[in-house]
Amino acid sequence: MKNIRNEIEKRILVLDGAMGTMLQAYKFTEADFRSERFKNYPTPLQGNNDLLSITQPHAIKEVHAKYFAAGADIVETNTFSGTTIAMADYQMEDLVYELNFESAKIAKEVADEFTEKEPHKPRFVAGSIGPTNRTASMSPDVNDPGYRAVTFNELRIAYKQQVEALIDGGVDLLLVETVFDTLNAKAALFAIEEVKEERSITIPIMLSGTITDASGRTLSGQTAEAFLISVSHIPLLSVGFNCALGANLLQPHLEAIANKTDFAISAHPNAGLPNAFGEYDESPSEMAGQIEEYLKKNLINIIGGCCGTTPDHITAIANVAAKYKPRQITVNA
């Protein structure tokens, strides 16, 4: 199989767009989320998108295929909430291995189909590892600032289960994404290093933080540069940012780190900021135009889309990215 480390030196790689945005178009009901297998499950399941890899796998496969057809080199597995911590909301902690394994398997099947058709453009699968719905750095209780809803070790154990299942399912790389708390991310990175050591394997790691607002900081208070420094001890394939901001607002934060690291730089911004109804209005051409500014300034190696983006956005982004050379990097383990 072609190695992503070779491909990233040749061209700017394109990541897929939003999974949630695409799944909303299917208008799945509670019964669709349940399917026959979970017909009598005691908790409401609508909204548990990761579960669709088991109950509606054809839809997940279809979304991956649309993104590859649109020009993506890498698709993310449907596992953003695939930890015991996040799945506790649905009382589905016991399903974590299966959810991640099946999601990886579905994505890998589609990637292999496209690679076979176009061997000159190999396709890759990134195991999506979300931030969970808890934070290790901050208290959720304003009256008790010392309280933590989760410990580093609990996060490490949860992430390790997810990582093992994603690797067993066949992912080519791991993407620790939408990091709002670097301590959570460090637990994920620690778990990945543990699995690598136990299995005597190497696997490329992408790490993507999220700048939450105009302050230019993550939710736990770090600037873009501080975030980079605090994770640079791990041999990453790439570091970058996703979500929260549109492409134009994300640019200064990419500029802040691009000349301070030898890692590849990734970005997958939202399709602008949400409107009053929580929807994203930025058109594919508008978004691609803003991303072209990244390319002119030689800021990135991997580019894609987050909330509100569709295959049309990815096609527009891929067309622009094809015109530029990737930023020079030192390829890591």
Side-chain angles (χ1 to χ4, degrees), residues 3-57:
N3 192 312
I4 196 164
R5 296 185 189 92
N6 300 334
E7 298 302 312
I8 205 167
E9 292 185 308
K10 294 182 203 166
R11 58 200 165 94
I12 293 168
L13 297 180
V14 178
L15 191 66
D16 61 1
M19 174 62 78
T21 299
M22 296 296 286
L23 291 175
Q24 280 169 16
Y26 286 86
K27 296 187 165 48
F28 286 133
T29 63
E30 177 73 29
D32 295 322
F33 273 86
R34 288 174 176 270
S35 196
E36 196 55 36
R37 179 170 165 187
F38 300 102
K39 200 172 175 181
N40 300 312
Y41 210 77
T43 56
L45 300 179
Q46 192 168 9
N48 186 358
N49 283 352
D50 293 25
L51 182 62
L52 296 173
S53 294
I54 294 173
T55 57
Q56 303 292 338

Side-chain angles (χ1 to χ4, degrees), residues 272-284:
L273 294 174
N275 62 24
F277 303 102
E279 293 164 347
Y280 296 85
D281 299 324
E282 207 160 80
S283 71

Side-chain angles (χ1 to χ4, degrees), residues 5 160 163-164 167 174 189-205 234-236 333:
R5 296 185 189 92
K160 191 173 180 186
V163 167
E164 287 172 334
I167 291 172
L174 296 166
L189 294 169
F190 190 92
I192 293 166
E193 292 304 310
E194 268 192 311
V195 175
K196 280 165 62 178
E197 194 174 328
E198 285 168 12
R199 298 188 176 201
S200 300
I201 58 168
T202 61
I203 186 164
I205 305 164
I234 297 283
L236 302 170

